[in-house]
Amino acid sequence: MDVGLLGSGHIARALAQGWSRPQIAARERPRLHFYDLVEHSAADLARECGGEEAASATELVAAARMVVLAVRPRDVAAALAGVRSHLQGKLVVSLAAGIPVATLVASLPAQTRVGRIMPNVAVAVGKGVLLLAPGTLGDDVGGVEEVFGLVGEVVTVDEALFDAATALSGCGPGFAALFLAALEKGGRAAGLDAGTAHRLAAGAVAGAAALGELEPDPEAIVRAVCSPGGMTAAGIAVLEYGRVPQSVAAAVLAAVAQASRLA
Ligand SMILES: NC(=O)c1ccc[n+]([C@@H]2O[C@H](COP(=O)([O-])OP(=O)(O)OC[C@H]3O[C@@H](n4cnc5c(N)ncnc54)[C@H](OP(=O)(O)O)[C@@H]3O)[C@@H](O)[C@H]2O)c1
């Protein structure tokens, strides 16, 4: 499928990197087209990941079967206004946080098929979690799932819960990375060199995540590694005293609340 990325910033780059991984057979890869207002961004991405730079947003839309809106939420209205009449008959997939399908539909020609996808940065390595609100994609939803499924697991979500789900899958990697950085810092404070601290901390977080996928109750993992009077128990006591679990849950709610302020 020809996929046009309108906006060539951070998430467009992560998707393009994911789609251009050598693990994906050439015949399965989408053909990528890029456009961005920032000079060189689209060309740089096309060079890095393979694909074509479009000379204008209109040219991008003309080349694409599916147009992926990868601009910041506050720029969505202007980006759509510039190409509105050319979007007839195209699939439009918005990555913009906080902008409902109904708002997109109102800005598009009648019968344009539109849905939302919320990827996270792990799409760059093919391990993303991508939320899908099918909106008005109808029987084109399968094709959209297929293309985005090349870079991670696509999870269909009721749009009413899209912001809540985004706070976990979209913001969660950032929260986990903050924890990872803190773990590393603790390792360095305890005398490890930076490289070893990074390797051990990343391995510990990846291992916990892999176990967490199998264990429906993550607190069971905490109990299993906390022998009374042991090293882990001593550390957990400090995290609980600092109300870290409550702060993480509050971070999720803060992220959800922020979604409505983005557009
Ligand atoms: N970053 C993530 O991890 C992530 C994850 C999931 C979803 N998203 C969503 O993805 C969208 C993009 O986020 P991002 O982090 O990639 O933003 P970004 O790095 O700022 O990239 C957006 C790019 O779009 C350009 N742009 C603005 N208006 C345009 C237009 N009319 N036509 C073409 N290009 C235009 C911007 O140029 P200027 O700088 O000149 O405005 C900028 O280069 C957001 O809506 C966000 O909610 C992001």
Side-chain angles (χ1 to χ4, degrees), residues 7 9-11 35-38 70-73 75 79 95-97 118-119 121:
H10 291 100
I11 200 65
Y35 177 69
D36 198 287
L37 293 180
V38 178
V71 300
R72 288 184 294 267
D75 295 325
L95 310 182
M118 183 55 64
V121 286

Side-chain angles (χ1 to χ4, degrees), residues 1-71:
M1 189 187 299
D2 284 281
V3 173
L5 286 144
L6 189 56
S8 302
H10 291 100
I11 200 65
R13 182 158 188 260
L15 282 167
Q17 286 174 330
W19 278 322
S20 60
R21 283 172 305 128
Q23 291 89 335
I24 304 177
R27 65 179 182 288
E28 286 175 22
R29 276 183 218 157
R31 290 173 296 280
L32 301 177
H33 306 265
F34 302 100
Y35 177 69
D36 198 287
L37 293 180
V38 178
E39 217 183 331
H40 303 307
S41 294
D44 288 349
L45 208 44
R47 205 172 309 115
E48 180 188 341
C49 298
E52 301 289 329
E53 178 197 12
S56 65
T58 313
E59 188 181 296
L60 177 100
V61 170
R65 164 84 182 108
M66 174 164 71
V67 176
V68 177
L69 264 179
V71 300

